[in-house]
Amino acid sequence: MLSAQSLFQEILDDDASFRLFCSIAASGEAQGGWENGRIAALVPASQRDLAPRIVRHGADEDKHGRIFNALLKKRGLSPVDVPAGTDYTMLLERQGIGLAHEQLKRDEPLSEQDVITYLAHSRVTEQRASEQMRLLLKHFADHPELGRAVKMISNDEDNHLAYCHEELLRFARAGHGRLIQRILRESAHAEIRVYRDVSLAVMADMGAILHWSRAKSALLAAGIHAVYAYERLIGWRRMVTLEPPARRDALGGAAPAEPEFA
């Protein structure tokens, strides 16, 4: 039977497909780390209290990138170049979602609206990251190679999502509710399109590596399109709601001193 667990196990068991998977993941996390670092450096004076949390967010993303590279190293593998069609972060930027890298490269302070844009974009993408890691946690928490990494990254992604909820609710109470909802809706609709396209590209690359049959590839593509149809119809709503998180001040204080080796 074709399931998420069996599919990922197949990718995990093959060095070439595992190498591509970890390379894509490490690249995306590294980009997230850089973006958060730049945003923290450019936060306007009115939001300087937020900077340490953004720094913590970026540090977590950098840590995740190192973890995926460590998983490669343990197998004696090195990262590969990420195919353009699988670059989730850059494809979102091309859709006009989030803060553009060109803006972040300039040493110009961000506006309060830029900070709201960053948080709303993060709220949507962290929803996806949290769900994906919980899926891996469900099936691979006890895996001797992946288990430790999956538990650590999943916990971090849940913290990031809680932080976005909390900060956006703070801005909503300050009178930015309509702006937040508009950006959340725009980000969610763009994200589900990009996620579909990236999923199709990743599955095509994995299929070529693992020599999947046409029938298997077609079945997986149909499943991806079905998820997109559901998310376009109603699933996007889970990405735009805001509620007080169970984890309060999830990124407050210093990062926990825990070993990050995979």
Side-chain angles (χ1 to χ4, degrees):
M1 177 183 290
L2 190 60
S3 65
Q5 182 175 10
S6 65
L7 183 66
F8 191 78
Q9 189 66 58
E10 187 177 359
I11 292 170
L12 175 63
D13 289 343
D14 181 89
D15 278 352
S17 56
F18 183 71
R19 187 184 188 195
L20 178 59
F21 168 80
C22 287
S23 297
I24 292 171
S27 175
E29 298 288 357
Q31 287 187 65
W34 179 85
E35 290 172 1
N36 278 277
R38 290 302 299 155
I39 291 167
L42 301 175
V43 162
S46 64
Q47 298 298 325
R48 289 311 300 173
D49 289 348
L50 188 57
R53 291 172 174 79
I54 303 174
V55 169
R56 169 80 179 276
H57 189 178
D60 285 347
E61 303 287 3
D62 284 334
K63 177 181 69 177
H64 300 167
R66 293 193 299 272
I67 288 172
F68 283 113
N69 282 320
L71 288 169
L72 287 173
K73 188 175 181 180
K74 283 179 69 173
R75 280 210 195 177
L77 303 171
S78 58
V80 295
D81 291 336
V82 174
T86 68
D87 195 331
Y88 174 80
T89 301
M90 293 310 297
L91 290 171
L92 278 173
E93 181 179 339
R94 288 174 192 166
Q95 294 284 323
I97 301 304
L99 301 179
H101 282 195
E102 284 304 313
Q103 179 182 6
L104 296 179
K105 289 175 183 176
R106 298 193 295 266
D107 289 322
E108 299 174 4
L110 300 174
S111 67
E112 199 167 80
Q113 181 169 332
D114 288 332
V115 174
I116 292 171
T117 297
Y118 148 71
L119 287 167
H121 166 255
S122 295
R123 185 262 176 272
V124 169
T125 56
E126 294 296 344
Q127 177 80 38
R128 182 74 70 186
S130 176
E131 291 171 353
Q132 289 183 319
M133 291 312 302
R134 286 189 181 195
L135 179 63
L136 289 178
L137 190 64
K138 176 182 177 182
H139 297 300
F140 295 98
D142 297 323
H143 191 278
E145 187 176 11
L146 282 186
R148 187 182 183 90
V150 166
K151 289 175 185 176
M152 184 179 294
I153 296 173
S154 181
N155 182 67
D156 287 345
E157 300 297 7
D158 288 347
N159 281 340
H160 299 166
L161 184 57
Y163 146 78
C164 292
H165 275 268
E166 196 165 39
E167 296 301 334
L168 285 170
L169 285 170
R170 178 174 65 84
F171 275 108
R173 289 192 297 269
H176 300 286
R178 288 187 179 181
L179 173 64
I180 291 168
Q181 281 302 312
R182 177 177 63 79
I183 298 173
L184 282 172
R185 287 194 297 271
E186 291 172 355
S187 297
H189 285 293
E191 195 279 341
I192 64 174
R193 290 194 302 271
V194 168
Y195 181 71
R196 174 201 60 191
D197 294 344
V198 168
S199 297
L200 289 169
V202 170
M203 287 300 104
D205 289 336
M206 293 298 179
I209 292 171
L210 296 169
H211 307 293
W212 288 341
S213 67
R214 286 188 179 181
K216 182 173 182 176
S217 295
L219 182 60
L220 289 170
I224 291 168
H225 284 294
V227 169
Y228 171 69
Y230 165 75
E231 292 194 328
R232 185 179 179 186
L233 180 65
I234 194 171
W236 63 272
R237 297 180 185 277
R238 77 190 190 286
M239 295 180 163
V240 303
T241 57
L242 292 176
E243 56 188 24
R247 301 185 183 195
R248 298 300 179 93
D249 198 21
L251 296 187
E258 54 184 347
E260 65 180 56
F261 59 85

